[in-house]
Amino acid sequence: MDALGGKDQVVFTVGGGATETPAMARPDPVAQLVQTLGLKAEDAAEPTALVTAGDLEAVAGKLKTAGFMLMDVVGVDYGAYVQPRPQRFSVLYNVYHPYDHRRLFLRVWLRDGESLPSLFPVWKSANYLEREVYDLMGVVFDNHPDLRKILTPDDLEGHPLRKDFPIEETPTLFRDGRFIDPPTFRAGMTGQSAGLTGWRGSLRKGGTREMEPPVMPEGGPK
Amino acid sequence: MSLKDRPPVDKQSGTLPRSQMQPDHQESTRPERVGSLTAQQGSLMHTEVMSLNVGPQHPSTHGVLRLVVDMDGEYVIKVTPHMGYLHTGFEKTFEHRTYQQGVTYAPRTDYLHSFGHELAYVLGVEKLMQAEVPERATTVRVILHELGRIHSHLVFLGTALMDLGAITLFFYCFREKEAVQDLFEEVCGYRMNQGYFRVGGLSRDIPDGWADNVQKFVDSFDKHVDEYASMFATNPIFLDRAVGVGVIPADVAIDLGLTGPNLRASGVPLDHRKANPYCGYDSYDFDVPVSQAGDSQARFVLRLDELRESAKIVRQALKRLKPGPVKDPNRKISLPPRHELETSMEAVIHHFKLVTEGFHPPLGEVYVPVETARGEVGYYIISDGGSMPYRVKIRAPSFVNLQALEYACVGGQFADLITVLATIDPVLGDVDR
């Protein structure tokens, strides 16, 4: 067993046998950490502490000074959850100490339309992670240097991971100006009906007759 | 020319200091006439920042990644990645599939180390369900997890060196990669996107003779790794292009949230197989290669060493492979064996309930970190008591690692950007999910 760095640094065994980390030697160091930060621990399977949006930057600054890194930012919409929750949205910050292997989740509750301070000044890794939460969950992070959509297309409206985002098929606008709805398209592909695609799978087998070009129905797309 | 020798980029204006431009830009060396231009016209020539578009369909982006690179001459001053071309909404899809069906989607995120994502998802649901995984299933999982790492690193070595112009190694790496994929195909029928693990064990037992085939593969594998090393590790052209290129110091790597080989190449020995052992990794004897250099060459060589360690783990796991069950005997989690359906009404009921509805984990939120070829993968799974997850958040290492690109490329030449992007080794399916 060799310690790399100071006394609070990694204890890293190479070879067989159980790895002894300080996390196993001390009785629940994460609970101590939560107490030191003056936070309220949540009764959960993973060590979770509740933070208010106002305290978030200060708490994150302390954790950064203690050597923690920001692993992930999780946005959750509890709008359809079975149990009542304090607010509709929750943002979880997954922080981890790369040397003594403590993990802590910071939870912030917020209403729809509320914003959070960006943690980009504290951890550079918050850049993409907050952009992802903004894109998919619609939580706005104040003072983020570059808060743009990151995963979804620019023309998609709404935030797909919200529980009220509809899951449905949408008619597709083709380049020649036709709107084709997915059921019609599928029907055309399987040869049941030419539909608006103008292409019949059954006619492809040896059929020589040219299909009529599709036309827009009266009154626009259905 | 190492990164240290290069002129520093002015972060404010984003340009190189004029006084430190290359000699051929200086007035004294400029000829009186440039082609048909007079000296006066020639002095009107100026340099300006150019934006260069790379991708989305470009072989060196290893997928569908678009980079907009602002360049001052040959030097990169800003990189802006645009991703999302492979975004298929896996996290939303998870919310509308049962827990067991989710195994199908997990491996499709990181298609090069699919077993890593599969394992992270399955371990998370097992923690939620408190399922007991039989020892044989755990051992097979370790074998496949490490073979997946070998598969991923082989693809990395071959394609990354091809980006640097070394084409030969690609064929050698892909020879072994094909052998690994044959092993995958034997055990679960698919060469990629396997979906072989189940909550509570494996979908079925390994076929007869498969362990012998794996043994044959890993016995000859160390020889092949030496072969790869001899082909590039001391090549002066490779060293010129990789040593000192894209240096990421340890504190910056932690700040950027890097994990996996990229973090260990910067000198931080974080490996979840040692730090938070899962699947009994604490009982295996293996080393975690760590390098202090933090440059592209360190990231290359570190992955080469990891290949040897993975083969070592597979050899140990094969010795432990004992006959036994591969599924949790709990009928509320695993499907009953086929022969029971003909004699037991309860088995039929369990089968029907599991197939049509799935199991119901208790309320809770879990996260299990797993060390894949790219870094920490974890599935934050929220259960509301139903048979489908309420919310699944994938901690995708490639997505976070990609942020290092903007740091490591600035100040370097354009050709170094290709090196850095290759050695960061993102999988775009993992980035976009």
Side-chain angles (χ1 to χ4, degrees), chain A residues 164-196:
Chain A
D164 54 6
F165 189 85
I167 302 179
E168 58 189 15
E169 295 169 320
T170 48
T172 308
L173 175 64
F174 281 69
R175 279 195 183 147
D176 53 4
R178 290 176 299 145
F179 268 104
I180 297 179
D181 62 322
T184 315
F185 183 79
R186 279 197 297 272
M189 294 297 276
T190 50
Q192 294 162 14
S193 142
L196 288 171

Side-chain angles (χ1 to χ4, degrees), chain A residues 4 10 12-19 21 42 44-46 48 64 67-83 85 92 94 96-99 101 103 105 107 120 122-129 131-133 136-137 146 148 150-153 159-165 167, chain B residues 80-85 87 91-92 95-96 127 250-251 253-259 263 267-277 281-288 290 292 363-369 376 378 380 382-385 389-396 399-400 402-403 406 431-433:
Chain A
L4 307 174
V10 69
F12 208 71
T13 54
V14 172
T19 310
T21 60
E42 196 180 77
E46 306 298 333
T48 313
K64 163 87 183 184
F68 280 81
M69 63 195 282
L70 180 66
M71 281 289 189
D72 203 0
V73 181
V74 185
V76 189
D77 177 5
Y78 282 101
Y81 203 64
V82 285
Q83 286 184 341
R85 287 287 187 242
L92 284 139
N94 177 354
Y96 184 76
H97 199 295
Y99 289 105
H101 312 307
R103 189 183 293 280
F105 287 88
R107 188 193 285 281
F120 180 74
V122 184
W123 284 295
K124 294 286 173 288
S125 60
N127 184 2
Y128 285 10
L129 296 169
R131 274 177 72 185
E132 188 194 341
V133 175
L136 301 180
M137 199 57 82
D146 187 25
R148 288 180 290 127
I150 190 165
L151 290 180
T152 58
H159 307 287
L161 283 182
R162 289 191 172 196
K163 287 290 173 181
D164 54 6
F165 189 85
I167 302 179
Chain B
T80 315
H82 293 268
M83 55 277 244
Y85 292 94
H87 180 63
E91 292 175 4
K92 190 76 172 174
E95 294 171 12
H96 300 274
K127 188 172 178 182
D251 54 339
I254 289 175
D255 198 22
L256 288 169
L258 295 194
T259 45
L263 183 64
V268 183
L270 171 62
D271 188 326
H272 288 292
R273 291 175 295 174
K274 292 279 190 191
N276 307 293
Y281 265 109
D282 44 353
S283 58
Y284 289 91
D285 176 21
F286 66 102
D287 297 331
V288 177
V290 180
Q292 304 295 330
L363 270 71
E365 312 191 355
V366 292
Y367 181 85
V368 180
E376 175 183 325
Y380 195 87
I382 301 178
S383 159
D384 63 347
Y390 182 76
R391 168 95 166 89
V392 172
K393 171 72 170 72
I394 308 168
R395 199 270 173 193
F399 182 68
V400 189
L402 203 59
Q403 301 190 80
E406 295 178 41
V431 172
D432 296 339
R433 303 186 295 284

Side-chain angles (χ1 to χ4, degrees), chain B residues 318-339:
Chain B
L318 282 170
K319 285 198 188 104
R320 299 183 188 187
L321 210 54
K322 302 275 187 315
V326 292
K327 281 179 191 172
D328 188 343
N330 186 352
R331 288 282 177 271
K332 304 290 177 199
I333 297 175
S334 319
L335 286 176
R338 183 70 187 81
H339 64 86

Side-chain angles (χ1 to χ4, degrees), chain B residues 248-251 253 258 261-268 290-295 298-299:
Chain B
I248 307 172
D251 54 339
L258 295 194
N262 295 324
L263 183 64
R264 292 194 286 276
S266 296
V268 183
V290 180
S291 169
Q292 304 295 330
D295 60 358
R299 292 193 278 272

Side-chain angles (χ1 to χ4, degrees), chain B residues 18-35:
Chain B
R18 184 66 46 181
S19 61
Q20 295 188 26
M21 279 290 187
Q22 294 298 294
D24 53 350
H25 288 270
Q26 286 170 8
E27 291 294 325
S28 58
T29 57
R30 186 172 285 168
E32 276 298 301
R33 290 178 71 88
V34 182

Side-chain angles (χ1 to χ4, degrees), chain B residues 340-413:
Chain B
E340 272 188 27
L341 294 181
E342 289 158 10
T343 53
S344 159
M345 190 62 211
E346 275 179 25
V348 175
I349 293 168
H350 278 134
H351 187 280
F352 180 75
K353 289 292 275 183
L354 282 174
V355 170
T356 56
E357 189 181 330
F359 48 76
H360 294 251
L363 270 71
E365 312 191 355
V366 292
Y367 181 85
V368 180
V370 163
E371 187 74 29
T372 73
R374 256 150 279 285
E376 175 183 325
V377 169
Y379 279 62
Y380 195 87
I381 303 170
I382 301 178
S383 159
D384 63 347
S387 64
M388 296 184 281
Y390 182 76
R391 168 95 166 89
V392 172
K393 171 72 170 72
I394 308 168
R395 199 270 173 193
S398 302
F399 182 68
V400 189
N401 289 356
L402 203 59
Q403 301 190 80
L405 194 68
E406 295 178 41
Y407 172 84
C409 291
V410 170
Q413 290 185 329

